[in-house]
Amino acid sequence: MADTEETFATRLAAVQARMQRACARAGRDVGEVLLLAVSKNMSPERVREAADAGLTSFGESRVQEARQKIPLCPARLSWHFVGHLQTNKARDAVELFEMIHSVDSERVLDALERACEAAGRSIRACLEVNVSGESSKYGVSPEQLPALLSAADRFFRVTVVGLMTIPPLRPDPEEARPFFRRLRELRDRAAAETGRPLPELSMGMSGDFEVAIEEGTTCIRVGTALFGARKVAAHG
Ligand SMILES: *Cc1c(COP(=O)(O)O)cnc(C)c1O
């Protein structure tokens, strides 16, 4: 049975092959795209296995889960927060993560700034944009983005480095393309208008990351394709 068993190494090789093909199609260097392993709901043992296979950047979507898990994982890893951040978790988030992908309000920026001040550090952040306008999604609307970006100017310890989005979940990855393209256009315009470089585009997940690579992503957030399906009863 061992020959049909899926291991972390075989799943990682498949993801890397998909990344290579998409980068080749898009004329991009695969080194431009960070593979962020989204380890939510996965045990420290699964993280260790992924780290042993060579992965160094991991994403979590709940501060509480991360606070328990990260101390049990190898120390050299870099952790990113990709979930919805509540202001009362900002202190923990600043302690645990080197980048927050999902800032969607001035209140959160302000809470992160104060937490950074208290901790004597700084943090990088992406602003989450709800490009599709789905009411179930977090993130600012494209119309609200310029105001949030200019609000970010008064914070010195939180550096906004780019934008993030989650497109509607559809079976055909091509359907995500217009949302990824729109995020890139929003980034290009915001960078031109504000003079901020905004180099990062956090977009693309297990089912659609090739399309995101073609549309300019710099960070794909991949859970299922690396770790296998998450347990049904577990939180998202
Ligand atoms: C869970 C999650 C992912 C990973 O999703 P998969 O489809 O399992 O790759 C990516 N981004 C965010 C924000 C998530 O919450």
Side-chain angles (χ1 to χ4, degrees):
M1 299 305 272
D3 55 341
T4 56
E5 197 180 304
E6 249 193 4
T7 64
F8 188 86
T10 59
R11 283 190 298 265
L12 174 59
V15 166
Q16 286 170 332
R18 287 171 60 189
M19 290 176 73
Q20 290 283 359
R21 284 194 298 269
C23 282
R25 274 200 302 280
R28 300 187 63 194
D29 187 313
V30 79
E32 295 169 21
V33 180
L34 175 68
L35 172 56
L36 183 69
V38 178
S39 52
K40 62 186 182 195
N41 302 355
M42 296 296 156
S43 66
E45 291 69 36
R46 303 295 307 280
V47 171
R48 182 176 301 278
E49 188 183 19
D52 287 344
L55 293 180
T56 54
S57 299
F58 291 81
E60 288 287 331
S61 63
R62 293 176 77 243
V63 173
Q64 217 167 327
E65 179 183 340
R67 201 174 52 190
Q68 310 203 325
K69 186 189 299 184
I70 292 175
L72 305 174
C73 293
R76 64 186 185 280
L77 306 177
S78 116
W79 292 91
H80 295 226
F81 187 72
V82 300
H84 182 65
L85 187 63
Q86 290 165 313
T87 51
N88 63 357
K89 301 277 169 47
R91 273 181 184 249
D92 280 336
V94 157
E95 200 176 298
L96 295 167
F97 300 106
E98 74 171 47
M99 175 150 157
I100 309 292
H101 286 233
S102 41
V103 169
D104 62 358
S105 71
E106 191 173 346
R107 284 178 59 241
V108 169
L109 280 173
D110 189 62
L112 287 171
E113 178 78 9
R114 281 181 290 117
C116 282
E117 241 164 59
R121 58 158 297 185
S122 58
I123 199 163
R124 297 187 302 144
C126 283
L127 302 181
E128 180 171 355
V129 185
N130 181 355
V131 178
S132 67
E134 286 179 299
S135 59
S136 59
K137 290 248 152 58
Y138 291 110
V140 294
S141 68
E143 293 71 32
Q144 292 166 324
L145 179 61
L148 186 54
L149 267 168
S150 71
D153 280 342
R154 66 185 183 85
F155 302 112
F156 297 102
R157 294 177 180 265
V158 185
T159 308
V160 175
V161 293
L163 305 180
M164 179 272 223
T165 199
I166 306 175
L169 193 58
R170 304 268 167 75
D172 179 2
E174 271 304 320
E175 293 191 60
R177 189 181 300 278
F179 303 105
F180 294 151
R181 185 166 294 173
R182 181 96 166 92
L183 193 73
R184 173 164 47 91
E185 290 167 354
L186 286 168
R187 187 279 305 274
D188 291 348
R189 187 185 318 156
E193 284 173 359
T194 64
R196 273 178 192 270
L198 300 173
E200 303 294 338
L201 285 174
S202 171
M203 58 187 197
M205 315 198 325
S206 288
D208 57 21
F209 69 72
E210 289 98 328
V211 177
I213 287 172
E214 290 170 3
E215 296 300 331
T217 187
T218 60
C219 176
I220 59 174
R221 309 178 308 265
V222 180
T224 320
L226 286 173
F227 292 102
R230 289 180 287 273
K231 299 238 163 43
V232 178
H235 37 70

